[in-house]
Amino acid sequence: MEIVREVRALQASADAARAAGRRIALVPTMGALHDGHIALVAEARRRADLVVVSIFVNPTQFGPGEDFAAYPRPFEADAARCREAGVDLLFAPAPEALYPPGFQTSVEGERVSKPLCGASRPGHFRGVATVVTKLWLAAKPHVSVFGEKDYQQLALLRRLARDLGFDVEVVGVPTLREPDGLALSSRNAFLGPETRAQALVLQRALRAADGAVAAGERDAAALLAGVRRELAKAPLAEVDYAELRDAESLEPAPARLESPTLLALAVRFPAAGGPRAVRLIDNTVLRPPGGREASR
């Protein structure tokens, strides 16, 4: 596995691969890799000849008071996991390689970045869209792979590729879960035993909504009421949001569901041994039987 730290070196490798007729896949990450990331690498390997993983803790997607300085950076362990997973090229730039002195140009989704996580983390998705734009320009991938757990991010990047005409296929990979159903996340390590057990309420709430839709429920208000009743069973849970959105545009869902609809959750739990809360997200796409399928 080759490790590259400069943008021009990555561009040169990408140019050589494309000239040789090789298909390139990019998996952007912020490191602290877990099995969910490795599942993205496996999907990239299925779809391409050259697999590139980026590890970059992106400062522009952290807001005031967020944990940029404390974000884990176990680079040697991450590099070892990439080697084991068959990554061909690891891109690990310093901040100044992507944000040169005087940097002042950003990319932003006008509507898709505003609700859900965007409402409580202003500027976050501007940072995501900007850094992914720069990574796509550097790695020149044919395909770029992301996890569906970060559904809003995935919707934003699909819109980014369409709107700006990037010749890249944006692929989503289903959320990988612990055996008990909790979505894999680097944040899970900050949960104590009690909060870890209560965090399973997210998956229970999603399953309850899926079951209600399968049984014929279409009323959005009734579905959300059921979700909130389930979440209330975890006394340590502080709900950031529980919302129904169009599965493609992320516009608010209609009062009666007739097409694939995203149910998105964000819940905070007390952190183990510290004052900072642990914010977990999860989602499912509700598909009313006989409803209109969204075009993706």
Side-chain angles (χ1 to χ4, degrees):
M1 182 182 73
E2 181 182 4
I3 298 177
V4 173
R5 298 190 181 274
E6 298 297 331
V7 169
R8 294 206 178 277
L10 178 56
Q11 288 173 329
S13 294
D15 287 341
R18 280 180 167 261
R22 302 180 72 194
R23 184 170 169 84
I24 303 169
L26 172 68
V27 182
T29 83
M30 292 209 303
L33 303 181
H34 52 65
D35 287 348
H37 295 107
I38 303 307
L40 305 185
V41 172
E43 182 64 22
R45 173 57 64 200
R46 275 202 330 108
R47 293 172 175 266
D49 308 303
L50 179 74
V51 174
V52 180
V53 169
S54 65
I55 293 179
F56 179 67
V57 183
N58 177 35
T60 65
Q61 68 189 69
F62 287 80
E66 293 188 340
D67 55 354
F68 173 71
Y71 196 90
R73 294 165 170 84
F75 180 76
E76 294 303 326
D78 286 344
R81 293 211 70 173
C82 285
R83 287 190 187 93
E84 292 167 5
V87 172
D88 299 297
L89 192 153
L90 178 59
F91 181 50
E96 55 270 21
L98 290 183
Y99 298 108
F103 182 86
Q104 57 181 292
T105 305
S106 297
V107 181
E108 185 168 14
E110 196 167 290
R111 293 192 302 276
V112 73
S113 64
K114 294 300 187 288
L116 305 176
C117 289
S120 58
R121 302 183 69 189
H124 168 72
F125 287 114
R126 183 191 309 116
V128 170
T130 300
V131 77
V132 171
T133 295
K134 295 178 73 65
L135 291 170
W136 284 348
L137 291 171
K140 305 183 181 183
H142 298 83
V143 60
S144 194
V145 184
F146 301 88
E148 291 182 354
K149 181 172 74 72
D150 296 299
Y151 193 98
Q152 186 175 12
Q153 172 180 277
L154 181 60
L156 168 69
L157 297 176
R158 283 176 168 150
R159 172 57 60 188
L160 171 67
R162 286 196 297 268
D163 287 356
L164 298 187
F166 277 100
D167 185 19
V168 58
E169 180 187 4
V170 179
V171 172
V173 173
T175 302
L176 200 64
R177 298 183 179 277
E178 303 278 5
D180 59 7
L182 185 65
L184 281 178
S185 170
S186 57
R187 291 187 173 96
N188 293 349
F190 300 108
L191 297 170
E194 185 178 9
T195 50
R196 174 64 177 74
Q198 290 196 24
L200 296 176
V201 74
L202 279 84
Q203 177 68 349
R204 289 198 297 269
L206 298 177
R207 287 176 176 168
D210 273 322
V213 169
E217 182 62 79
R218 298 291 182 274
D219 185 82
L223 285 166
L224 283 178
V227 166
R228 289 189 174 276
R229 283 194 300 271
E230 194 66 39
L231 294 175
K233 295 177 183 179
L236 294 176
E238 177 189 347
V239 179
D240 183 355
Y241 63 74
E243 296 190 28
L244 292 168
R245 295 269 168 174
D246 179 85
E248 183 171 5
S249 69
L250 299 192
E251 295 294 329
R256 180 176 173 81
L257 306 190
E258 301 290 354
S259 60
T261 302
L262 173 70
L263 170 59
L265 307 178
V267 179
R268 291 185 174 88
F269 292 92
R276 196 179 294 275
V278 180
R279 184 175 182 274
L280 302 181
I281 61 173
D282 208 340
N283 66 77
T284 190
V285 175
L286 305 174
R287 300 184 184 276
R292 299 186 303 274
E293 283 294 317
S295 61
R296 296 299 296 238

